[in-house]
Amino acid sequence: MPQPDDLSTYQATPDLLKGKNILVTGAGAGIGRAAALSFAQHGATVILLGKTESHLSEVYDAIEANGDPQPAIVPFDLATTDESAYEDIALQLQNNLGGLHGVLHNAGILGELKPLEQYDGKTFADVLNVNLLSNFLLTKALMPSLKAAENASIIFTSSSVGRQGRAYWGAYAVAKFGIEGLMQIWADELESTSSIRVNSLNPCGTSTAMRRQAYPAESPSSTPQPEAIMGAYLFLMGDESIHINGQQLDARTR
Ligand code: NDP
């Protein structure tokens, strides 16, 4: 099937992700929550990683109530810079699940929206740790599990401000630029040595808590709900995107 022009319109078969183990970061809220529920609905065993355990438990219960494959919960603070903590999680997953067929790096924080001249250095570092460093450390730690699965897919979450710099987006935009670089390097390094594909996805404006924080005066109904863009996430996790590697993609046409 050819790649749809608007990825959000992709129609997934009900069992698209059957038998796949997929880890979603920031699975407790917003886009990550919708992706976790959608992956599970399409047959995946989803590993729910996030900071707030009660949010993860709510998603866990919703997946169980839908009768979808039983998920796993991994409460973890992605502000962690200790590499061994990532290795511990990866080992735990490898022992319990074996191969990992997909990772959606989705968790993120906004930081401050202000001129760089006024940007607080500690906040800058915190945003880079959560939005960029954690993506590197987690991917590196999970690599043995990803290599053990056939045709694994890694999705890094980008943003419009990670592709074209924009005033006042500070560390958030810098981290997203870093995400694009990280994606391209992983994609190039893995291309000839493994069946792992690596792409970046810009969800585009989506009605979530982060969007409300960034645009407090905007009507929440002026951007789509996370559920409306899941076609893109399903397409990139499913085997119909096996040939796509190193691409910067948008979840919907803007
Ligand atoms: P939300 O703020 O709604 O959700 C963010 C999620 O990230 C939450 O589940 C949160 O966990 C988790 N998270 C935040 N900090 C940490 C941490 N230190 N450790 C672990 N988990 C953490 O954001 P969105 O759903 O809007 O955003 C998802 C992704 O999409 C982000 O990468 C964002 O940059 C990107 N994006 C969003 C756009 C939009 O319009 N919404 C546009 C462009 C990009 P918890 O449940 O514990 O709070």
Side-chain angles (χ1 to χ4, degrees):
M1 187 189 150
Q3 180 179 336
D5 289 338
D6 182 345
L7 290 182
S8 69
T9 65
Y10 173 69
Q11 296 290 325
T13 54
D15 61 354
L16 178 81
L17 304 177
K18 196 172 170 200
K20 291 188 189 288
N21 301 320
I22 300 177
L23 185 144
V24 178
T25 74
I31 295 167
R33 178 184 188 280
L37 283 161
S38 182
F39 293 161
Q41 255 160 23
H42 289 83
T45 296
V46 184
I47 301 104
L48 310 165
L49 188 151
K51 192 163 86 167
T52 309
E53 194 161 355
S54 59
H55 294 173
L56 301 176
S57 298
E58 188 274 328
V59 180
Y60 181 102
D61 291 346
I63 290 173
E64 281 230 305
N66 287 341
D68 295 327
Q70 186 180 29
I73 287 185
V74 181
F76 188 77
D77 185 350
L78 292 164
T80 309
T81 58
D82 174 9
E83 190 161 0
S84 66
Y86 291 83
E87 289 163 357
D88 288 348
I89 293 179
L91 200 60
Q92 210 183 313
L93 291 179
Q94 204 172 8
N95 290 340
N96 289 311
L97 293 169
L100 188 62
H101 305 85
V103 181
L104 170 58
H105 291 285
N106 159 84
I109 53 173
L110 190 61
E112 301 177 321
L113 292 180
K114 56 169 59 167
L116 287 173
E117 267 187 272
Q118 294 163 21
Y119 209 101
D120 174 61
K122 161 86 170 64
T123 307
F124 200 98
D126 290 345
V127 173
L128 287 188
N129 286 340
V130 174
N131 292 9
L132 179 58
L133 180 65
S134 73
N135 285 233
F136 160 65
L137 292 174
L138 189 59
T139 307
K140 182 183 170 196
L142 292 172
M143 207 40 77
S145 296
L146 289 161
K147 285 184 172 166
E150 220 175 299
N151 298 319
S153 173
I154 303 174
I155 305 174
F156 288 107
T157 303
S158 189
S159 163
S160 311
V161 299
R163 293 175 180 170
Q164 172 67 52
R166 195 184 301 165
Y168 316 132
W169 281 79
Y172 178 88
V174 172
K176 294 300 189 187
F177 269 91
I179 283 294
E180 296 288 1
L182 188 65
M183 177 278 285
Q184 289 178 16
I185 296 166
W186 276 123
D188 202 32
E189 287 182 359
L190 293 169
E191 185 148 38
S192 54
T193 56
S194 77
S195 63
I196 302 171
R197 63 197 184 280
V198 190
N199 296 285
S200 74
L201 186 62
N202 170 16
C204 307
T206 309
S207 186
T208 66
M210 184 187 285
R211 180 76 190 182
R212 287 189 286 284
Q213 192 188 344
Y215 297 93
E218 180 185 81
S219 163
S221 61
S222 65
T223 51
Q225 293 297 313
E227 291 73 18
I229 57 166
M230 285 304 121
Y233 291 80
L234 290 166
F235 174 71
L236 283 178
M237 277 304 169
D239 287 350
E240 280 177 281
S241 61
I242 277 174
H243 57 290
I244 297 179
N245 186 43
Q247 300 291 309
Q248 292 184 322
L249 301 162
D250 289 336
R252 62 183 171 89
T253 49
R254 286 173 285 154

